[in-house]
Amino acid sequence: MTKRTSLKLNDERQLLFDKASEIVARDASDDPPRSDVIDAALTHLIESYKNLEDVRDEYPPQTVKDCCNTSVLGMRYRTSIDKKWR
């Protein structure tokens, strides 16, 4: 991973940040710093990935997809989004 000093926000990414900030905020008047929003999102991503890996061999693919409420169960940076169990 390369280290970058700036984060460019197109309209779609800004919308995602706004939605994520609402989730992380304590209440309607709270405006959390972007670094806190990014930390929360990264922590959630890592925990979700671990949870998926923990149950992958225990349950059928469709059950995992339904319970995790996702159709995407694997990602590759700049390559594709894979649905591993199709």
Side-chain angles (χ1 to χ4, degrees), residues 9-20:
L9 297 178
N10 58 27
D11 291 341
E12 183 179 347
R13 187 176 281 171
Q14 181 63 52
L15 180 62
L16 290 173
F17 260 113
D18 292 344
K19 288 180 180 181

Side-chain angles (χ1 to χ4, degrees), residues 33-75:
R34 253 192 206 132
S35 59
D36 288 353
V37 176
I38 292 170
D39 288 347
L42 291 173
T43 299
H44 177 71
L45 174 67
I46 292 165
E47 289 175 354
S48 296
Y49 177 78
K50 184 182 179 318
N51 291 339
L52 281 171
E53 289 300 309
D54 288 347
V55 300
R56 187 177 299 275
D57 295 329
E58 294 180 37
Y59 299 99
Q62 191 62 48
T63 301
V64 174
K65 286 171 66 174
D66 293 343
C67 291
C68 294
N69 197 24
T70 184
S71 62
V72 179
L73 297 174
M75 290 187 239

Side-chain angles (χ1 to χ4, degrees), residues 67-85:
C67 291
C68 294
N69 197 24
T70 184
S71 62
V72 179
L73 297 174
M75 290 187 239
R76 293 191 183 145
Y77 177 68
R78 289 188 188 203
T79 306
S80 64
I81 296 177
D82 299 328
K83 296 181 181 184
K84 291 185 179 184
W85 287 322

